[in-house]
Amino acid sequence: MEVIIDTLVICGCLVFGGSVIKRLLCSRPWETLPDDVMEMVVSHLSVRDRIRLSSVCKSWNTVPMRRDIPSAPHQLPWLILPQCCRKSLSFYDLYDGKVGKLDLPEPLQGGWFEGSSKGWMIMVMEKDLDSTMFLVNPISGALHQLPSLSTVPSFQNFVETTRWKRYGASRFSYWLVLSTSDITSEQCMIAAFFGDAETLCLCRPGDTSWSIFEVLDANEVIMDLLFSSGKLYALVLSHDKEGFMSAPRTLSCGGHAVELYLVYDIMPRFSDQNEVYGDYIVQLKASLDSHLIESATNGEIYLIHQMQDKFMKLYDDENPEDCGGGGQGEGGGNEEDDYIEGRDDDNDEHDNLEDNEDGGDDIHDMDDDNDSANEEHDNLEDNEDGGDGITRVEEEDRDLNVYLRTSAFYVYKLHPKKKKIVSARCLEDQLLFLSGAGHVSLPAREINKLEGNCIYFATNNHSTLHQREYINRELGIFNLGDRRVKRSFPSVRVSVRTRLSWFNPIL
């Protein structure tokens, strides 16, 4: 309670001046703080603090949760953790370094989290051909149903594959974005690409089917989608085109039009350098993930390349399922083997294998007071592995026993006049939060605890080598100044059905 009152005093001082707010608090019981005073105070609070404020007493419940009062801008996002409970989601709060819980509305209990966009979570209720996607605001409880996945032509064939049984919708609904957080607006549109990533799909809230658009040439696939200033940008991987943006084309959905720009990704020169560490051949900078994100400071559109090294297991032909360590390679083979298998001897010796260095940061210390006794929400593993390791591969998957590890990021941006992709080198006063299911950009000057020109990444990184659950260590911070990776987050136990995603909560 004292913390809440102190927060009111501090925020009140910003609005009215210290003497006025102190008089208001001292002259009457704090429960009867006038609504107009509360409204001005609340507008300086983050969503997290507004939720806490609303739980103090009944008389404070209404004003902090009013959607017409804007929250303080540029709050830190939450990292949505892999699901281990079908009735709720756990999240990691960067601000205070704690794990919290979000209860799912009853109609979505049993569904799967697929990502987030503009303050809305994307959930899927899997019922084979009757599978349906939803937008849910876990703060307000608002729920909106999207068209059935059965209205996407390729979905029926996908449901008949073994991938559906193993991965569910996570291998079909790759990416979904909203044009605005206000889904009641006439301008609201939802874009997605599914399945083979060759078809663009659009809908509007209330639609009963997805509108399908064939916008690509042969041998082209969509890598990412972004709405910016009401325009839709699709990042495209093409064998014949790269490094430029197409002329706009107009797509119509539900009587509303949107301009589409195809952004043809630039392909870097992949390294052919291989190194051997114990039982692994490591191909440096062998894989690429590409992301589009809008700058929070100037509205420019950035293209981010996430480079990954590929670790490939060497097998003993007489014992192909032996995933244990053997031999000391250059740089310490046993330590890296422990890293790959999810076994950590709590001394970070495995980091000797990389040029990047781990660094501690107090804001990442885990202190889960609420859920420490609840195994359902014990997703963040503080350098411990409670399982039997990551890999036990079937004979048919031996050639797919690989592990991708983030090694660097490269930053580009779209040149609005030349319609080309140009090198940006740095992010200046920005923070980017990237994941395979949701991105956030923030101005670093507004965030006291974090350093600018950095990329916080949470990679949904799995392959067919994994059991249904495995250890993911692909959470970290990349500094574009010194070009180092810090893996100061604890490891995360994930499953092949779940996704990590940054989420920016709204009321």
Side-chain angles (χ1 to χ4, degrees), residues 66-251:
R66 277 174 43 188
R67 299 181 199 176
D68 62 312
I69 304 175
S71 299
H74 311 313
Q75 57 192 334
L76 285 175
W78 298 344
L79 178 62
I80 303 300
L81 300 173
Q83 279 178 264
C84 59
C85 173
R86 305 299 295 278
K87 294 184 178 181
S88 64
L89 295 173
S90 296
F91 67 92
Y92 177 55
D93 190 335
L94 275 176
Y95 185 83
D96 55 18
K98 294 183 179 181
V99 173
K101 185 177 75 170
L102 294 168
D103 292 326
L104 293 173
E106 187 172 347
L108 291 183
Q109 293 180 6
W112 291 98
F113 171 76
E114 296 296 327
S116 67
S117 178
K118 290 185 167 55
W120 291 87
M121 289 183 177
I122 300 121
M123 300 286 298
V124 175
M125 295 298 293
E126 294 179 357
K127 298 178 181 178
D128 292 334
L129 290 178
D130 291 329
S131 298
T132 304
M133 304 185 77
F134 292 84
L135 298 177
V136 58
N137 183 333
I139 310 302
S140 67
L143 183 66
H144 293 267
Q145 182 173 331
L146 297 180
S148 170
L149 289 175
S150 64
T151 62
V152 180
S154 58
F155 184 65
Q156 181 172 354
N157 290 336
F158 180 80
V159 169
E160 297 173 355
T161 66
T162 56
R163 286 185 298 165
W164 170 255
K165 296 178 182 178
R166 179 173 172 82
Y167 303 105
S170 65
R171 279 294 181 94
F172 184 79
S173 56
Y174 284 124
W175 197 254
L176 185 149
V177 293
L178 280 72
S179 62
T180 174
S181 61
D182 183 6
I183 61 175
T184 63
S185 168
E186 291 186 357
Q187 305 304 317
C188 183
M189 191 171 291
I190 299 109
F193 63 91
F194 299 107
D196 54 15
E198 296 176 355
T199 303
L200 176 65
C201 302
L202 297 176
C203 77
R204 301 187 66 254
D207 287 354
T208 57
S209 63
W210 288 94
S211 297
I212 312 300
F213 298 90
E214 302 292 342
V215 297
L216 304 181
D217 293 334
N219 299 318
E220 294 180 350
V221 294
I222 301 173
M223 305 297 293
D224 203 355
L225 294 171
L226 171 70
F227 275 107
S228 176
S229 300
K231 301 173 183 177
L232 177 60
Y233 297 82
L235 182 63
V236 177
L237 178 63
S238 173
H239 293 291
D240 303 320
K241 312 164 192 173
E242 65 174 273
F244 72 96
M245 183 170 64
S246 70
R249 66 183 73 182
T250 301
L251 305 180

Side-chain angles (χ1 to χ4, degrees), residues 331-345:
N334 284 343
E335 289 81 7
E336 183 60 24
D337 197 52
D338 284 347
Y339 173 81
I340 296 294
E341 301 298 334
R343 300 185 304 271
D344 198 333
D345 55 6

Side-chain angles (χ1 to χ4, degrees), residues 257-269:
V258 61
E259 283 190 345
L260 169 69
Y261 293 84
L262 301 181
V263 180
Y264 292 95
D265 201 356
I266 54 176
M267 294 304 297
R269 294 181 179 178

